[in-house]
Amino acid sequence: PPVVVFLSVLLTGVMDPGRAYFSYKTLKIKAQEGAYYGSAFPQCVDATGINNDSPACDDPNNIPYRVRHSTPRGSLVDMSDLAAQVTVDLPCGSTLPCVMQAGEVLTVTVSYQYQLLTPFVGAIANSQTLTLTARSSAVIVRVPNCTTAPSCL
């Protein structure tokens, strides 16, 4: 019986870090998808566009939508959770109106509050929640005109 307890503790201690690693890899894929989409449509940082003048950026044609829906349902990361955040850092920062050019760099950051399953690992980390963050950057290759729906030219 002591061997069974030891092996059970060892197995559960390995399970949480393994799940955290695969959750991080999922976040990295999501950030890469957002950066890839943003390199072609950088003004589509939300459904209305960076300067609130891009109706063609409505769902599914914006960076946060692409990030949240880039992996199949049932993955370890539930992006519909309020604990999941998508941030897009543009070359113009928070300056409005934002004018971007090809060759500038856009960064997408995805953060997620990962819940540990085992109290054993939570005791080591001093919390049952870990904040996982993944970033991806891409060079803007074009800045199309998205002021007319249904699509960007």
Side-chain angles (χ1 to χ4, degrees), residues 22-89:
F22 283 106
S23 295
Y24 170 77
K25 294 300 283 181
T26 300
L27 291 178
K28 187 68 174 172
I29 291 168
K30 289 176 173 293
Q32 289 171 340
E33 173 64 23
Y36 175 75
Y37 187 80
S39 70
F41 302 100
Q43 70 276 40
C44 292
V45 296
D46 59 26
T48 60
I50 188 64
N51 297 318
N52 293 324
D53 63 353
S54 302
C57 293
D58 199 15
D59 290 345
N61 300 322
N62 58 67
I63 297 169
Y65 184 92
R66 295 293 176 122
V67 168
R68 292 185 183 282
H69 296 89
S70 64
T71 55
R73 293 181 190 256
S75 67
L76 292 175
V77 177
D78 179 15
M79 291 299 289
S80 64
D81 187 358
L82 294 176
Q85 295 182 346
V86 179
T87 307
V88 181
D89 295 321

Side-chain angles (χ1 to χ4, degrees), residues 69-130:
H69 296 89
S70 64
T71 55
R73 293 181 190 256
S75 67
L76 292 175
V77 177
D78 179 15
M79 291 299 289
S80 64
D81 187 358
L82 294 176
Q85 295 182 346
V86 179
T87 307
V88 181
D89 295 321
L90 297 168
C92 55
S94 59
T95 305
L96 291 178
C98 182
V99 179
M100 294 171 278
Q101 300 176 36
E104 295 179 315
V105 177
L106 161 130
T107 302
V108 176
T109 305
V110 183
S111 297
Y112 182 73
Q113 298 297 315
Y114 173 78
Q115 297 294 321
L116 295 169
L117 294 178
T118 57
F120 174 70
V121 176
I124 294 171
N126 287 333
S127 176
Q128 283 300 111
T129 304
L130 299 176

